[in-house]
Amino acid sequence: MMQRRQWLKGLVLALGVAWAGATFAPSAAMAEDKVTVFAAASLKNALDAINAEWQKESGKETTVSYAASSALAKQVEQGAPADVFISADLAWMDYLAEKKLIKDDTRANLLGNSIVLISGKTDAQPVDIKQGFDLATLLGDGRLAMGAVDSVPAGKYGKAALEKLGVWSSVEQKVAGAESVRAALLLVSRGEAPYGIVYQTDAAADPGVKIVGTFPEDSHPPIIYPIAVTTDSKNADATAYVDFIKSDKAAPLFEKQGFTILK
């Protein structure tokens, strides 16, 4: 009788473990199936819409971290579990490529963009952005919001343009460097800085700012967003996700936000 009770107790325990495994294993598997994407902050509006389309079409989900490309590249270098990296410039993708942290055969130049001067004032007048334009006088005692000029791609492009136009030295001390281009956008939108330099796509996404001028294309290096699967990715859906991002189905959603599709 005692042996029978022990046997029944063991059976109940075994069934309980099996039930628990059947209950929780699928959710763990689902978490593993999600494609983890590290993407430049300026991609948020477009990529959120594209990821919704990806899920609708494939039934697959994504987990996205938006931040400055510099910060994301450093996180990948430190072992963060990203499957796909989308940078706002070539330099940070090259940085990971040199360290063998991306799969070179998956790398592609995805998008183009432009940088603009914005103001949070609805009555702000258009600015003729040309050689030697008087940005310092426009700013007065205020600050110029930009991504950090030594690391954030939008900040680097902005500094390059101001240097090419002979304006940088007059405004360098007025720059409010932000951790990402979206943070710089927010400074202007909130009225904490009278002007800022951001991507055209960021300005279009925030009704609280107004574009007052566009920087000439030849005043800065070409703005290119590359994409690649990371070397450490074990997700079987990562390559399919990148293919979808590059497809004609995703293109209109990027273009709606003002990006240029690179072929």
Side-chain angles (χ1 to χ4, degrees):
M1 191 69 171
M2 183 66 70
Q3 288 181 338
R4 180 178 175 81
R5 286 178 180 172
Q6 289 177 339
W7 179 83
L8 286 171
K9 185 183 293 185
L11 178 61
V12 170
L13 181 60
L15 287 172
V17 170
W19 177 84
T23 301
F24 297 108
S27 61
M30 285 175 63
E32 291 176 1
D33 285 346
K34 289 186 179 181
V35 177
T36 301
V37 183
F38 280 15
S42 51
L43 289 165
K44 182 172 177 22
N45 294 64
L47 207 55
D48 281 351
I50 289 166
N51 288 341
E53 286 300 311
W54 158 256
Q55 182 176 356
K56 187 185 302 181
E57 179 166 309
S58 68
K60 307 289 185 178
E61 295 184 44
T62 55
T63 299
V64 188
S65 291
Y66 296 106
S69 301
S70 51
L72 295 172
K74 290 289 187 178
Q75 289 175 28
V76 172
E77 182 183 16
Q78 292 165 10
D83 295 307
V84 175
F85 176 51
I86 314 177
S87 175
D89 71 355
L90 296 174
W92 285 110
M93 188 65 81
D94 290 342
Y95 178 85
L96 293 185
E98 289 168 5
K99 296 179 180 295
K100 310 297 184 186
L101 293 173
I102 61 165
K103 297 177 181 178
D104 290 330
D105 61 341
T106 67
R107 178 174 177 171
N109 290 338
L110 183 65
L111 302 167
N113 209 337
S114 58
I115 52 172
V116 296
L117 184 67
I118 59 170
S119 174
K121 300 176 181 178
T122 56
D123 60 348
Q125 297 302 304
V127 176
D128 185 11
I129 298 179
K130 60 183 180 179
Q131 194 69 31
F133 78 105
D134 196 0
L135 181 56
T137 297
L138 275 177
L139 291 170
D141 295 330
R143 310 284 279 177
L144 177 65
M146 300 173 63
V149 299
D150 58 344
S151 58
V152 177
K156 292 161 64 178
Y157 291 128
K159 179 183 177 182
L162 293 175
E163 287 179 329
K164 181 75 175 290
L165 296 171
V167 175
W168 175 249
S169 61
S170 66
V171 299
E172 182 178 2
Q173 299 304 315
K174 296 176 180 285
V175 169
E179 63 182 14
S180 72
V181 66
R182 284 298 173 102
L185 177 70
L186 201 56
L187 287 175
V188 179
S189 184
R190 288 176 172 174
E192 296 174 30
Y195 291 92
I197 298 175
V198 300
Y199 295 120
Q200 185 273 330
T201 52
D202 292 302
D206 190 335
V209 303
K210 175 182 178 180
I211 296 175
V212 294
T214 300
F215 286 84
E217 285 187 14
D218 62 0
S219 68
H220 55 78
I223 299 174
I224 297 173
Y225 289 66
I227 185 171
V229 176
T230 64
T231 301
D232 289 342
S233 174
K234 301 296 188 293
N235 194 311
D237 295 320
T239 300
Y241 174 79
V242 170
D243 288 342
F244 184 81
I245 290 292
K246 297 188 299 182
S247 74
D248 291 340
K249 293 179 181 179
L253 297 172
F254 281 126
E255 291 172 332
K256 182 179 180 181
Q257 298 298 325
F259 289 100
T260 302
I261 306 299
L262 302 181
K263 297 293 186 182

